[in-house]
Amino acid sequence: DTEVTQTPKHLVMGMTNKKSLKCEQHMGHRAMYWYKQKAKKPPELMFVYSYEKLSINESVPSRFSPECPNSSLLNLHLHALQPEDSALYLCASSQDGQGMGTEAFFGQGTRLTVV
Amino acid sequence: AQKVTQAQTEISVVEKEDVTLDCVYETRDTTYYLFWYKQPPSGELVFLIRRNSFDEQNEISGRYSWNFQKSTSSFNFTITASQVVDSAVYFCALSEVNYGGATNKLIFGTGTLLAVQP
C-alpha cells in the first residue's frame, strides 16, 4: 500500500482564519515532507520531518506551522495567511530518513485558496 | 549548486508516437539520486523511477524507458507508443543527499507538459 492521504482536498479560508492540513501514511516511512506548488511551477520544499523531528525548514514564514504528532501523521497549521499563499500543498513520505535517496510518495494534495 | 533543467516546456504528440522527455542535471556530489515523477491533472505526483549515481544501466518498464548518461549529466525518459492517458506534467528531480542525519531534499526541474492527442 503506497498511499499518502491528505485532507481536506480543497480548502477556502479567510486571511484571519486558522486551519490545519492533515497528512497520513501507514507505510512505516520515517521521513515526511510538506511541499508547496504554485500553478505551472514545480513543487517547492517547505519542511522535512525525519524520525518525527523537524530536520529541514526552508525559511518558511511562521504563519505556516508544521507538526508531527507521530510517525504516521503530519499536520500543517495555517494562520493569518495571505492570498499569495494560495497553492497546492503536497505531503509526501519516504522510507528512509537518513539520506539514502529512497523515493518519496506523494498525496493528492490540498488545493488551498486564501480570500 | 544542484540544478535540474527540463528544457522542453510543452510537447504535443499524436497517440502511438514515441516521445522523449529530456532532463539535464548539475551536482557536485558523487553520490546522488535521480527521479522521474508524473503529475496528472488530479495533482498527485506519481513516482516512476529512481536511479542512483552508481548505476548507469538503462531501464525499461513496459512502454517506459530511461537513459542515464553521467558523461552528459542527462537522465532522459522515453514513452513508446504514447497513449492519451500519458498526458500529464512530468518532473525530473535530483535528490540532494544529506549525510548529517537529515533526509533527502528533492530538487525538481520545471516540468514538461506532455499532451497526447487521440
PDB file of all heavy atoms in Angstrom, chain A residues 56 96-102, chain B residues 2 27 29-35 50-54 94-107:
ATOM      1  N   ILE A  56      14.403  19.865   8.372  1.00  0.00           N
ATOM      2  CA  ILE A  56      14.615  20.925   7.385  1.00  0.00           C
ATOM      3  C   ILE A  56      13.426  21.886   7.425  1.00  0.00           C
ATOM      4  O   ILE A  56      12.275  21.461   7.383  1.00  0.00           O
ATOM      5  CB  ILE A  56      14.765  20.368   5.953  1.00  0.00           C
ATOM      6  CG1 ILE A  56      16.024  19.494   5.829  1.00  0.00           C
ATOM      7  CG2 ILE A  56      14.825  21.503   4.936  1.00  0.00           C
ATOM      8  CD1 ILE A  56      16.218  18.864   4.462  1.00  0.00           C
ATOM      9  N   ASP A  96      13.204   6.095   4.197  1.00  0.00           N
ATOM     10  CA  ASP A  96      14.406   6.262   4.983  1.00  0.00           C
ATOM     11  C   ASP A  96      14.666   7.717   5.292  1.00  0.00           C
ATOM     12  O   ASP A  96      14.596   8.561   4.419  1.00  0.00           O
ATOM     13  CB  ASP A  96      15.590   5.684   4.209  1.00  0.00           C
ATOM     14  CG  ASP A  96      16.831   5.705   5.035  1.00  0.00           C
ATOM     15  OD1 ASP A  96      16.890   4.968   6.023  1.00  0.00           O
ATOM     16  OD2 ASP A  96      17.727   6.484   4.704  1.00  0.00           O
ATOM     17  N   GLY A  97      14.957   8.024   6.543  1.00  0.00           N
ATOM     18  CA  GLY A  97      15.238   9.395   6.923  1.00  0.00           C
ATOM     19  C   GLY A  97      16.717   9.686   7.060  1.00  0.00           C
ATOM     20  O   GLY A  97      17.118  10.657   7.668  1.00  0.00           O
ATOM     21  N   GLN A  98      17.556   8.845   6.457  1.00  0.00           N
ATOM     22  CA  GLN A  98      18.995   9.004   6.646  1.00  0.00           C
ATOM     23  C   GLN A  98      19.709   9.364   5.351  1.00  0.00           C
ATOM     24  O   GLN A  98      20.884   9.085   5.194  1.00  0.00           O
ATOM     25  CB  GLN A  98      19.579   7.695   7.196  1.00  0.00           C
ATOM     26  CG  GLN A  98      19.080   7.339   8.573  1.00  0.00           C
ATOM     27  CD  GLN A  98      19.649   8.252   9.633  1.00  0.00           C
ATOM     28  OE1 GLN A  98      20.724   8.813   9.464  1.00  0.00           O
ATOM     29  NE2 GLN A  98      18.925   8.430  10.721  1.00  0.00           N
ATOM     30  N   GLY A  99      19.000   9.992   4.460  1.00  0.00           N
ATOM     31  CA  GLY A  99      19.658  10.461   3.244  1.00  0.00           C
ATOM     32  C   GLY A  99      20.080   9.366   2.299  1.00  0.00           C
ATOM     33  O   GLY A  99      21.112   9.476   1.647  1.00  0.00           O
ATOM     34  N   MET A 100      19.278   8.318   2.224  1.00  0.00           N
ATOM     35  CA  MET A 100      19.659   7.211   1.351  1.00  0.00           C
ATOM     36  C   MET A 100      18.984   7.280  -0.007  1.00  0.00           C
ATOM     37  O   MET A 100      19.051   6.343  -0.783  1.00  0.00           O
ATOM     38  CB  MET A 100      19.296   5.874   2.023  1.00  0.00           C
ATOM     39  CG  MET A 100      20.099   5.614   3.270  1.00  0.00           C
ATOM     40  SD  MET A 100      21.862   5.529   2.926  1.00  0.00           S
ATOM     41  CE  MET A 100      21.953   4.000   2.028  1.00  0.00           C
ATOM     42  N   GLY A 101      18.316   8.372  -0.292  1.00  0.00           N
ATOM     43  CA  GLY A 101      17.772   8.544  -1.633  1.00  0.00           C
ATOM     44  C   GLY A 101      16.565   7.703  -1.934  1.00  0.00           C
ATOM     45  O   GLY A 101      16.281   7.432  -3.100  1.00  0.00           O
ATOM     46  N   THR A 102      15.843   7.269  -0.915  1.00  0.00           N
ATOM     47  CA  THR A 102      14.643   6.492  -1.213  1.00  0.00           C
ATOM     48  C   THR A 102      13.569   7.387  -1.802  1.00  0.00           C
ATOM     49  O   THR A 102      13.494   8.569  -1.493  1.00  0.00           O
ATOM     50  CB  THR A 102      14.100   5.792   0.042  1.00  0.00           C
ATOM     51  OG1 THR A 102      13.912   6.762   1.068  1.00  0.00           O
ATOM     52  CG2 THR A 102      15.075   4.736   0.524  1.00  0.00           C
TER      53      THR A 102
ATOM     54  N   GLN B   2      23.086  22.384  -6.844  1.00  0.00           N
ATOM     55  CA  GLN B   2      22.303  21.408  -7.590  1.00  0.00           C
ATOM     56  C   GLN B   2      21.244  22.090  -8.435  1.00  0.00           C
ATOM     57  O   GLN B   2      20.627  23.062  -7.997  1.00  0.00           O
ATOM     58  CB  GLN B   2      21.619  20.434  -6.622  1.00  0.00           C
ATOM     59  CG  GLN B   2      22.471  19.272  -6.207  1.00  0.00           C
ATOM     60  CD  GLN B   2      23.399  19.570  -5.062  1.00  0.00           C
ATOM     61  OE1 GLN B   2      23.555  20.718  -4.673  1.00  0.00           O
ATOM     62  NE2 GLN B   2      23.999  18.555  -4.515  1.00  0.00           N
ATOM     63  N   THR B  27      25.314  18.720 -10.391  1.00  0.00           N
ATOM     64  CA  THR B  27      25.593  18.465  -8.987  1.00  0.00           C
ATOM     65  C   THR B  27      27.086  18.281  -8.800  1.00  0.00           C
ATOM     66  O   THR B  27      27.776  17.814  -9.714  1.00  0.00           O
ATOM     67  CB  THR B  27      24.842  17.217  -8.478  1.00  0.00           C
ATOM     68  OG1 THR B  27      25.151  17.010  -7.096  1.00  0.00           O
ATOM     69  CG2 THR B  27      25.207  15.968  -9.274  1.00  0.00           C
ATOM     70  N   ASP B  29      27.997  16.544  -6.052  1.00  0.00           N
ATOM     71  CA  ASP B  29      28.058  15.320  -5.262  1.00  0.00           C
ATOM     72  C   ASP B  29      28.476  14.141  -6.143  1.00  0.00           C
ATOM     73  O   ASP B  29      28.143  14.096  -7.334  1.00  0.00           O
ATOM     74  CB  ASP B  29      26.692  15.016  -4.652  1.00  0.00           C
ATOM     75  CG  ASP B  29      26.310  16.011  -3.577  1.00  0.00           C
ATOM     76  OD1 ASP B  29      27.211  16.706  -3.066  1.00  0.00           O
ATOM     77  OD2 ASP B  29      25.111  16.093  -3.253  1.00  0.00           O
ATOM     78  N   THR B  30      29.183  13.190  -5.552  1.00  0.00           N
ATOM     79  CA  THR B  30      29.494  11.962  -6.277  1.00  0.00           C
ATOM     80  C   THR B  30      28.396  10.930  -6.070  1.00  0.00           C
ATOM     81  O   THR B  30      28.221  10.029  -6.884  1.00  0.00           O
ATOM     82  CB  THR B  30      30.837  11.373  -5.823  1.00  0.00           C
ATOM     83  OG1 THR B  30      30.804  11.213  -4.400  1.00  0.00           O
ATOM     84  CG2 THR B  30      31.978  12.301  -6.214  1.00  0.00           C
ATOM     85  N   THR B  31      27.671  11.068  -4.975  1.00  0.00           N
ATOM     86  CA  THR B  31      26.534  10.188  -4.721  1.00  0.00           C
ATOM     87  C   THR B  31      25.264  11.017  -4.804  1.00  0.00           C
ATOM     88  O   THR B  31      25.120  12.002  -4.072  1.00  0.00           O
ATOM     89  CB  THR B  31      26.628   9.546  -3.329  1.00  0.00           C
ATOM     90  OG1 THR B  31      27.829   8.777  -3.241  1.00  0.00           O
ATOM     91  CG2 THR B  31      25.425   8.634  -3.091  1.00  0.00           C
ATOM     92  N   TYR B  32      24.394  10.636  -5.678  1.00  0.00           N
ATOM     93  CA  TYR B  32      23.142  11.358  -5.829  1.00  0.00           C
ATOM     94  C   TYR B  32      22.108  10.412  -6.437  1.00  0.00           C
ATOM     95  O   TYR B  32      22.435   9.314  -6.871  1.00  0.00           O
ATOM     96  CB  TYR B  32      23.301  12.621  -6.689  1.00  0.00           C
ATOM     97  CG  TYR B  32      23.935  12.381  -8.042  1.00  0.00           C
ATOM     98  CD1 TYR B  32      23.163  12.068  -9.167  1.00  0.00           C
ATOM     99  CD2 TYR B  32      25.320  12.476  -8.202  1.00  0.00           C
ATOM    100  CE1 TYR B  32      23.753  11.846 -10.397  1.00  0.00           C
ATOM    101  CE2 TYR B  32      25.917  12.248  -9.438  1.00  0.00           C
ATOM    102  CZ  TYR B  32      25.132  11.935 -10.518  1.00  0.00           C
ATOM    103  OH  TYR B  32      25.729  11.713 -11.741  1.00  0.00           O
ATOM    104  N   TYR B  33      20.870  10.863  -6.412  1.00  0.00           N
ATOM    105  CA  TYR B  33      19.772  10.043  -6.903  1.00  0.00           C
ATOM    106  C   TYR B  33      18.922  10.881  -7.843  1.00  0.00           C
ATOM    107  O   TYR B  33      18.720  12.070  -7.618  1.00  0.00           O
ATOM    108  CB  TYR B  33      18.909   9.527  -5.744  1.00  0.00           C
ATOM    109  CG  TYR B  33      19.689   8.663  -4.785  1.00  0.00           C
ATOM    110  CD1 TYR B  33      20.428   9.230  -3.752  1.00  0.00           C
ATOM    111  CD2 TYR B  33      19.706   7.281  -4.922  1.00  0.00           C
ATOM    112  CE1 TYR B  33      21.166   8.448  -2.881  1.00  0.00           C
ATOM    113  CE2 TYR B  33      20.432   6.488  -4.055  1.00  0.00           C
ATOM    114  CZ  TYR B  33      21.166   7.077  -3.038  1.00  0.00           C
ATOM    115  OH  TYR B  33      21.887   6.298  -2.180  1.00  0.00           O
ATOM    116  N   LEU B  34      18.444  10.248  -8.865  1.00  0.00           N
ATOM    117  CA  LEU B  34      17.595  10.910  -9.854  1.00  0.00           C
ATOM    118  C   LEU B  34      16.233  10.223  -9.898  1.00  0.00           C
ATOM    119  O   LEU B  34      16.136   9.001  -9.739  1.00  0.00           O
ATOM    120  CB  LEU B  34      18.251  10.863 -11.234  1.00  0.00           C
ATOM    121  CG  LEU B  34      19.560  11.643 -11.355  1.00  0.00           C
ATOM    122  CD1 LEU B  34      20.313  11.205 -12.592  1.00  0.00           C
ATOM    123  CD2 LEU B  34      19.295  13.138 -11.392  1.00  0.00           C
ATOM    124  N   PHE B  35      15.217  11.019 -10.150  1.00  0.00           N
ATOM    125  CA  PHE B  35      13.858  10.512 -10.144  1.00  0.00           C
ATOM    126  C   PHE B  35      13.075  11.101 -11.314  1.00  0.00           C
ATOM    127  O   PHE B  35      13.378  12.187 -11.806  1.00  0.00           O
ATOM    128  CB  PHE B  35      13.124  10.928  -8.851  1.00  0.00           C
ATOM    129  CG  PHE B  35      13.786  10.497  -7.582  1.00  0.00           C
ATOM    130  CD1 PHE B  35      14.834  11.222  -7.044  1.00  0.00           C
ATOM    131  CD2 PHE B  35      13.343   9.366  -6.912  1.00  0.00           C
ATOM    132  CE1 PHE B  35      15.454  10.835  -5.857  1.00  0.00           C
ATOM    133  CE2 PHE B  35      13.950   8.966  -5.730  1.00  0.00           C
ATOM    134  CZ  PHE B  35      15.001   9.700  -5.208  1.00  0.00           C
ATOM    135  N   ARG B  50      13.548   5.626  -9.814  1.00  0.00           N
ATOM    136  CA  ARG B  50      14.667   6.149  -9.045  1.00  0.00           C
ATOM    137  C   ARG B  50      15.937   5.504  -9.566  1.00  0.00           C
ATOM    138  O   ARG B  50      15.970   4.306  -9.835  1.00  0.00           O
ATOM    139  CB  ARG B  50      14.481   5.798  -7.567  1.00  0.00           C
ATOM    140  CG  ARG B  50      15.711   5.890  -6.692  1.00  0.00           C
ATOM    141  CD  ARG B  50      15.344   5.455  -5.292  1.00  0.00           C
ATOM    142  NE  ARG B  50      16.484   5.424  -4.390  1.00  0.00           N
ATOM    143  CZ  ARG B  50      17.140   4.318  -4.049  1.00  0.00           C
ATOM    144  NH1 ARG B  50      16.773   3.153  -4.541  1.00  0.00           N
ATOM    145  NH2 ARG B  50      18.144   4.388  -3.211  1.00  0.00           N
ATOM    146  N   ARG B  51      16.969   6.305  -9.712  1.00  0.00           N
ATOM    147  CA  ARG B  51      18.246   5.800 -10.191  1.00  0.00           C
ATOM    148  C   ARG B  51      19.346   6.422  -9.350  1.00  0.00           C
ATOM    149  O   ARG B  51      19.369   7.622  -9.149  1.00  0.00           O
ATOM    150  CB  ARG B  51      18.415   6.142 -11.669  1.00  0.00           C
ATOM    151  CG  ARG B  51      19.728   5.771 -12.290  1.00  0.00           C
ATOM    152  CD  ARG B  51      19.927   4.258 -12.289  1.00  0.00           C
ATOM    153  NE  ARG B  51      19.198   3.622 -13.380  1.00  0.00           N
ATOM    154  CZ  ARG B  51      18.390   2.582 -13.194  1.00  0.00           C
ATOM    155  NH1 ARG B  51      18.209   2.082 -11.986  1.00  0.00           N
ATOM    156  NH2 ARG B  51      17.794   2.038 -14.207  1.00  0.00           N
ATOM    157  N   ASN B  52      20.306   5.605  -8.868  1.00  0.00           N
ATOM    158  CA  ASN B  52      21.418   6.195  -8.136  1.00  0.00           C
ATOM    159  C   ASN B  52      22.597   6.443  -9.063  1.00  0.00           C
ATOM    160  O   ASN B  52      22.695   5.855 -10.153  1.00  0.00           O
ATOM    161  CB  ASN B  52      21.804   5.347  -6.916  1.00  0.00           C
ATOM    162  CG  ASN B  52      22.533   4.076  -7.292  1.00  0.00           C
ATOM    163  OD1 ASN B  52      23.545   4.124  -7.980  1.00  0.00           O
ATOM    164  ND2 ASN B  52      22.042   2.947  -6.816  1.00  0.00           N
ATOM    165  N   SER B  53      23.499   7.279  -8.615  1.00  0.00           N
ATOM    166  CA  SER B  53      24.586   7.756  -9.471  1.00  0.00           C
ATOM    167  C   SER B  53      25.582   6.676  -9.848  1.00  0.00           C
ATOM    168  O   SER B  53      26.388   6.858 -10.769  1.00  0.00           O
ATOM    169  CB  SER B  53      25.311   8.917  -8.788  1.00  0.00           C
ATOM    170  OG  SER B  53      25.723   8.551  -7.483  1.00  0.00           O
ATOM    171  N   PHE B  54      25.545   5.547  -9.163  1.00  0.00           N
ATOM    172  CA  PHE B  54      26.497   4.480  -9.468  1.00  0.00           C
ATOM    173  C   PHE B  54      25.928   3.464 -10.451  1.00  0.00           C
ATOM    174  O   PHE B  54      26.628   2.537 -10.854  1.00  0.00           O
ATOM    175  CB  PHE B  54      26.905   3.768  -8.177  1.00  0.00           C
ATOM    176  CG  PHE B  54      27.577   4.692  -7.210  1.00  0.00           C
ATOM    177  CD1 PHE B  54      26.950   5.053  -6.023  1.00  0.00           C
ATOM    178  CD2 PHE B  54      28.824   5.231  -7.480  1.00  0.00           C
ATOM    179  CE1 PHE B  54      27.551   5.918  -5.135  1.00  0.00           C
ATOM    180  CE2 PHE B  54      29.436   6.090  -6.589  1.00  0.00           C
ATOM    181  CZ  PHE B  54      28.794   6.438  -5.413  1.00  0.00           C
ATOM    182  N   LEU B  94      16.293  15.683  -8.696  1.00  0.00           N
ATOM    183  CA  LEU B  94      17.598  15.276  -8.171  1.00  0.00           C
ATOM    184  C   LEU B  94      17.508  15.301  -6.656  1.00  0.00           C
ATOM    185  O   LEU B  94      16.958  16.248  -6.082  1.00  0.00           O
ATOM    186  CB  LEU B  94      18.660  16.266  -8.656  1.00  0.00           C
ATOM    187  CG  LEU B  94      20.064  16.198  -8.078  1.00  0.00           C
ATOM    188  CD1 LEU B  94      20.774  14.928  -8.511  1.00  0.00           C
ATOM    189  CD2 LEU B  94      20.857  17.434  -8.518  1.00  0.00           C
ATOM    190  N   SER B  95      18.009  14.260  -6.019  1.00  0.00           N
ATOM    191  CA  SER B  95      17.979  14.216  -4.567  1.00  0.00           C
ATOM    192  C   SER B  95      19.306  14.686  -4.000  1.00  0.00           C
ATOM    193  O   SER B  95      20.355  14.137  -4.330  1.00  0.00           O
ATOM    194  CB  SER B  95      17.682  12.799  -4.091  1.00  0.00           C
ATOM    195  OG  SER B  95      17.662  12.739  -2.686  1.00  0.00           O
ATOM    196  N   GLU B  96      19.208  15.712  -3.192  1.00  0.00           N
ATOM    197  CA  GLU B  96      20.387  16.231  -2.500  1.00  0.00           C
ATOM    198  C   GLU B  96      20.520  15.433  -1.209  1.00  0.00           C
ATOM    199  O   GLU B  96      19.711  15.566  -0.305  1.00  0.00           O
ATOM    200  CB  GLU B  96      20.167  17.714  -2.219  1.00  0.00           C
ATOM    201  CG  GLU B  96      21.313  18.431  -1.570  1.00  0.00           C
ATOM    202  CD  GLU B  96      20.984  19.906  -1.373  1.00  0.00           C
ATOM    203  OE1 GLU B  96      20.804  20.616  -2.364  1.00  0.00           O
ATOM    204  OE2 GLU B  96      20.903  20.330  -0.207  1.00  0.00           O
ATOM    205  N   VAL B  97      21.514  14.581  -1.150  1.00  0.00           N
ATOM    206  CA  VAL B  97      21.640  13.658  -0.036  1.00  0.00           C
ATOM    207  C   VAL B  97      22.382  14.310   1.105  1.00  0.00           C
ATOM    208  O   VAL B  97      23.453  14.878   0.926  1.00  0.00           O
ATOM    209  CB  VAL B  97      22.370  12.383  -0.484  1.00  0.00           C
ATOM    210  CG1 VAL B  97      22.559  11.443   0.699  1.00  0.00           C
ATOM    211  CG2 VAL B  97      21.598  11.691  -1.578  1.00  0.00           C
ATOM    212  N   ASN B  98      21.802  14.251   2.268  1.00  0.00           N
ATOM    213  CA  ASN B  98      22.393  14.856   3.453  1.00  0.00           C
ATOM    214  C   ASN B  98      22.819  13.755   4.400  1.00  0.00           C
ATOM    215  O   ASN B  98      21.994  13.038   4.942  1.00  0.00           O
ATOM    216  CB  ASN B  98      21.350  15.771   4.110  1.00  0.00           C
ATOM    217  CG  ASN B  98      21.929  16.535   5.272  1.00  0.00           C
ATOM    218  OD1 ASN B  98      22.786  16.038   5.983  1.00  0.00           O
ATOM    219  ND2 ASN B  98      21.445  17.738   5.475  1.00  0.00           N
ATOM    220  N   TYR B  99      24.117  13.620   4.612  1.00  0.00           N
ATOM    221  CA  TYR B  99      24.602  12.545   5.458  1.00  0.00           C
ATOM    222  C   TYR B  99      24.632  12.929   6.937  1.00  0.00           C
ATOM    223  O   TYR B  99      25.097  12.182   7.763  1.00  0.00           O
ATOM    224  CB  TYR B  99      26.008  12.109   5.027  1.00  0.00           C
ATOM    225  CG  TYR B  99      26.005  11.433   3.682  1.00  0.00           C
ATOM    226  CD1 TYR B  99      26.509  12.075   2.563  1.00  0.00           C
ATOM    227  CD2 TYR B  99      25.486  10.161   3.541  1.00  0.00           C
ATOM    228  CE1 TYR B  99      26.500  11.457   1.334  1.00  0.00           C
ATOM    229  CE2 TYR B  99      25.472   9.537   2.317  1.00  0.00           C
ATOM    230  CZ  TYR B  99      25.983  10.188   1.213  1.00  0.00           C
ATOM    231  OH  TYR B  99      25.971   9.563  -0.003  1.00  0.00           O
ATOM    232  N   GLY B 100      24.153  14.125   7.249  1.00  0.00           N
ATOM    233  CA  GLY B 100      24.199  14.560   8.630  1.00  0.00           C
ATOM    234  C   GLY B 100      23.026  14.101   9.456  1.00  0.00           C
ATOM    235  O   GLY B 100      22.778  14.618  10.532  1.00  0.00           O
ATOM    236  N   GLY B 101      22.285  13.149   8.929  1.00  0.00           N
ATOM    237  CA  GLY B 101      21.149  12.637   9.681  1.00  0.00           C
ATOM    238  C   GLY B 101      19.825  13.130   9.156  1.00  0.00           C
ATOM    239  O   GLY B 101      18.799  12.547   9.454  1.00  0.00           O
ATOM    240  N   ALA B 102      19.844  14.188   8.381  1.00  0.00           N
ATOM    241  CA  ALA B 102      18.590  14.659   7.796  1.00  0.00           C
ATOM    242  C   ALA B 102      18.308  13.817   6.559  1.00  0.00           C
ATOM    243  O   ALA B 102      19.067  12.961   6.180  1.00  0.00           O
ATOM    244  CB  ALA B 102      18.697  16.133   7.435  1.00  0.00           C
ATOM    245  N   THR B 103      17.241  14.103   5.926  1.00  0.00           N
ATOM    246  CA  THR B 103      16.823  13.258   4.819  1.00  0.00           C
ATOM    247  C   THR B 103      16.981  13.974   3.494  1.00  0.00           C
ATOM    248  O   THR B 103      17.631  14.986   3.391  1.00  0.00           O
ATOM    249  CB  THR B 103      15.387  12.775   5.040  1.00  0.00           C
ATOM    250  OG1 THR B 103      15.078  11.787   4.062  1.00  0.00           O
ATOM    251  CG2 THR B 103      14.404  13.918   4.953  1.00  0.00           C
ATOM    252  N   ASN B 104      16.386  13.395   2.491  1.00  0.00           N
ATOM    253  CA  ASN B 104      16.603  13.912   1.147  1.00  0.00           C
ATOM    254  C   ASN B 104      15.815  15.179   0.880  1.00  0.00           C
ATOM    255  O   ASN B 104      14.729  15.369   1.379  1.00  0.00           O
ATOM    256  CB  ASN B 104      16.155  12.875   0.128  1.00  0.00           C
ATOM    257  CG  ASN B 104      16.687  11.517   0.472  1.00  0.00           C
ATOM    258  OD1 ASN B 104      17.872  11.327   0.591  1.00  0.00           O
ATOM    259  ND2 ASN B 104      15.787  10.575   0.665  1.00  0.00           N
ATOM    260  N   LYS B 105      16.370  15.995   0.047  1.00  0.00           N
ATOM    261  CA  LYS B 105      15.656  17.155  -0.462  1.00  0.00           C
ATOM    262  C   LYS B 105      15.578  16.978  -1.966  1.00  0.00           C
ATOM    263  O   LYS B 105      16.606  16.879  -2.631  1.00  0.00           O
ATOM    264  CB  LYS B 105      16.408  18.432  -0.111  1.00  0.00           C
ATOM    265  CG  LYS B 105      15.821  19.678  -0.731  1.00  0.00           C
ATOM    266  CD  LYS B 105      16.634  20.897  -0.340  1.00  0.00           C
ATOM    267  CE  LYS B 105      16.135  22.140  -1.068  1.00  0.00           C
ATOM    268  NZ  LYS B 105      16.926  23.336  -0.684  1.00  0.00           N
ATOM    269  N   LEU B 106      14.376  16.919  -2.480  1.00  0.00           N
ATOM    270  CA  LEU B 106      14.189  16.764  -3.923  1.00  0.00           C
ATOM    271  C   LEU B 106      14.270  18.117  -4.605  1.00  0.00           C
ATOM    272  O   LEU B 106      13.571  19.045  -4.220  1.00  0.00           O
ATOM    273  CB  LEU B 106      12.837  16.123  -4.222  1.00  0.00           C
ATOM    274  CG  LEU B 106      12.728  14.610  -4.055  1.00  0.00           C
ATOM    275  CD1 LEU B 106      11.300  14.159  -4.274  1.00  0.00           C
ATOM    276  CD2 LEU B 106      13.656  13.889  -5.008  1.00  0.00           C
ATOM    277  N   ILE B 107      15.132  18.197  -5.601  1.00  0.00           N
ATOM    278  CA  ILE B 107      15.222  19.408  -6.406  1.00  0.00           C
ATOM    279  C   ILE B 107      14.589  19.086  -7.750  1.00  0.00           C
ATOM    280  O   ILE B 107      15.091  18.253  -8.510  1.00  0.00           O
ATOM    281  CB  ILE B 107      16.683  19.834  -6.577  1.00  0.00           C
ATOM    282  CG1 ILE B 107      17.270  20.160  -5.210  1.00  0.00           C
ATOM    283  CG2 ILE B 107      16.797  21.034  -7.520  1.00  0.00           C
ATOM    284  CD1 ILE B 107      18.754  20.160  -5.183  1.00  0.00           C
TER     285      ILE B 107
END
